[in-house]
Amino acid sequence: MVNSDTKKVKASPIDFGKIYKDLLKHKKLYYKILPTAFIVAAIYALGLPNYYTCTVKLSPELSSTRSTSGLASLASSFGIKIGTGSAGMGSEALFPTLYPDLMNSTDFKTSLFEVPVTIEGNKKKGEKDRTMTYYDYLSKEQKKPWWSAAIGGTMKAIAGLFGGTKKEEEKEAINPFRLTKKQTAIVKALNKRVVCNVDKKTMVITINVTDQNDVICATMADTVKNRLQNFITEYRTSKARVDLEYNQKICKEAKVRYDKARHMYADFVDHNQDILLESVRQRQTELENEMQLQYNAYQQVAAQLLAAEAKVQQDTPAFTTLQSATVPVQKTGPKRTQMCLIFVFLAFLATTGWILYKEDDLKRLLGMS
């Protein structure tokens, strides 16, 4: 008897008819909750500002794969080897997979503060274009949801009542080592607005820039691309450029010494053409030898300078732009229709769950007695 009763309890079916009647009994609740949820979702979605996204794609040079036969043959004559062996791999210390970390650095983000951007005015209303720095644009020209502006205004009013009116913060010099609170907030905002991804298989660099203004979005995407290319170029050619500057310096000094020795020899010969004294001939030989010595030194340094110039050219990386920055035509978000549907669906699920719990149908659905 006990076993049969237990089987009956376990085998008791779910009464879907009763569940349907219970839900139908509370249909007026759906009529109240779902429209209210839709209105709340619509108010929330309409309060969010539009934003645009611009995408730029680059394919970097991973090694010295360009044709360098001319540079190699030129450098080989000076005893310098230019190839794609271990030396070529050494130039890849900053691998493309590290580019996102580079762009997320504070130094790189703060370098974007002084980029000039232009807000196009409404020509029909007679508004003029306004040009400002990207820092001022992010700190003063960003649209916020109405509730955020209301909360901010309320907090300022309360602060004004108790602590007096706070003076507007003067723009301070940008020091990446010690940023102000406002500058730190802008850097955090840029971390979300400017995103870099690298495909580990193809090594294609994708830069996504999001902004509320479509033109500024494309402008900053192109600027970030150029800044990244310039940084990588400077990094890859830093040692070669230092060597080039050193060779230019010693080449200039060697040229000055050679010119001085040449002029001294020419002046001495011009003033002692008819003199046959042995001391004069010996002095002339000494000056000629000194001039030849300085010429040989200058020729050797000039050859090293030419090789250093070839090295800088060889280390300069090449980037292929797969997708250029263009002004987006359509906004990326917010997706208001999708937000409203999701909000109404969640309200429907919550209301249904509450009805099933109230009518004691939830236990049966969960397999409880």
Side-chain angles (χ1 to χ4, degrees), residues 51-58 100 103-104 108-109 112 134 189-198 204-211 216-222 224-225 228 323-325 328 332:
Y51 59 88
Y52 302 84
T53 301
C54 182
T55 301
V56 176
K57 291 185 178 182
L58 294 174
M103 291 185 58
N104 286 332
F108 188 88
K109 292 298 173 63
L112 301 176
Y134 193 48
L190 280 175
N191 290 334
K192 299 179 180 179
R193 291 172 176 266
V194 181
V195 180
C196 177
N197 296 312
V198 177
V204 173
I205 306 168
T206 302
I207 300 173
N208 293 314
V209 177
T210 303
D211 200 274
I216 294 178
C217 179
T219 301
M220 291 308 301
D222 187 66
V224 170
K225 181 198 72 171
L228 180 62
Q323 181 175 334
S324 302
T332 305

Side-chain angles (χ1 to χ4, degrees), residues 37-68:
F38 178 80
I39 293 174
V40 172
I43 294 175
Y44 174 80
L46 292 173
L48 298 175
N50 296 334
Y51 59 88
Y52 302 84
T53 301
C54 182
T55 301
V56 176
K57 291 185 178 182
L58 294 174
S59 179
E61 181 190 39
L62 299 181
S63 60
S64 304
T65 56
R66 292 173 291 131
S67 175
T68 57

Side-chain angles (χ1 to χ4, degrees), residues 116-244:
V117 296
T118 301
I119 301 178
E120 296 182 346
N122 192 334
K123 305 302 180 182
K124 295 181 180 179
K125 296 182 180 180
E127 297 178 354
K128 296 182 179 180
D129 297 344
R130 293 181 296 150
T131 302
M132 63 191 71
T133 62
Y134 193 48
Y135 177 85
D136 291 336
Y137 166 75
L138 292 178
S139 60
K140 300 177 182 179
E141 300 294 333
Q142 293 300 291
K143 298 178 181 178
K144 298 180 180 180
W146 59 267
W147 58 85
S148 178
I151 294 174
T154 303
M155 295 300 293
K156 287 183 179 180
I158 295 175
L161 291 175
F162 292 96
T165 57
K166 187 177 180 180
K167 294 183 179 180
E168 186 177 355
E169 182 181 352
E170 296 182 359
K171 186 175 180 181
E172 299 183 11
I174 300 172
N175 181 12
F177 181 74
R178 177 175 290 181
L179 297 175
T180 63
K181 291 184 178 179
K182 189 174 182 179
Q183 292 170 352
T184 302
I186 298 297
V187 169
K188 291 182 179 179
L190 280 175
N191 290 334
K192 299 179 180 179
R193 291 172 176 266
V194 181
V195 180
C196 177
N197 296 312
V198 177
D199 191 330
K200 294 183 179 180
K201 294 182 179 180
T202 61
M203 292 301 167
V204 173
I205 306 168
T206 302
I207 300 173
N208 293 314
V209 177
T210 303
D211 200 274
Q212 295 180 4
N213 187 294
D214 53 349
V215 177
I216 294 178
C217 179
T219 301
M220 291 308 301
D222 187 66
T223 301
V224 170
K225 181 198 72 171
N226 293 331
R227 291 287 177 92
L228 180 62
Q229 289 179 342
N230 292 338
F231 183 89
I232 300 303
T233 300
E234 290 180 2
Y235 177 85
R236 291 274 300 273
T237 61
S238 58
K239 186 179 184 305
R241 284 186 288 106
V242 170
D243 294 341
L244 177 60

Side-chain angles (χ1 to χ4, degrees), residues 273-307:
Q273 289 183 354
D274 298 330
I275 301 176
L276 300 179
L277 296 176
E278 187 64 27
S279 59
V280 174
R281 292 181 179 179
Q282 185 177 1
R283 179 59 180 167
Q284 180 178 346
T285 303
E286 291 177 355
L287 292 176
E288 184 178 2
N289 291 338
E290 178 67 19
M291 180 187 66
Q292 187 64 37
L293 181 64
Q294 296 298 334
Y295 173 75
N296 293 337
Y298 170 66
Q299 190 178 29
Q300 183 178 3
V301 172
Q304 293 177 356
L305 175 61
L306 191 60

